[in-house]
Amino acid sequence: MGVKTMPLVHIDLLEGRSEEQLKALVKDVTAAISKDANVPAERIHIVLNEMKPSHYSVGGTLKSDQ
């Protein structure tokens, strides 16, 4: 049975990580999905959404105010 799916992964995180950290993140996530879902790495799509701390809140307080 051939896998014909295209996993699309959205990752939301606060901005501030280096390009090297983001590269490592997508590499590790891709490897895990490929292994656990039996999907070729080239079919896995990842979207990184980086948010400003002033655009994210926990408990009614902006992260930029913490």
Side-chain angles (χ1 to χ4, degrees):
M1 172 176 128
V3 176
K4 299 200 187 288
T5 61
M6 177 198 77
L8 176 58
V9 179
H10 290 264
I11 301 174
D12 296 318
L13 61 163
L14 291 175
E15 66 184 5
R17 288 166 180 81
S18 68
E19 188 168 341
E20 292 78 22
Q21 288 173 309
L22 296 175
K23 286 179 182 180
L25 175 64
V26 298
K27 181 179 178 182
D28 292 346
V29 170
T30 298
I33 293 171
S34 181
K35 176 183 172 276
D36 296 339
N38 192 30
V39 176
E42 58 273 6
R43 290 187 176 256
I44 299 167
H45 298 241
I46 299 176
V47 177
L48 300 176
N49 297 307
E50 293 188 287
M51 299 168 287
K52 295 180 181 184
S54 62
H55 293 178
Y56 184 76
S57 169
V58 175
T61 304
L62 292 174
K63 292 300 282 182
S64 59
D65 291 338
Q66 295 180 346

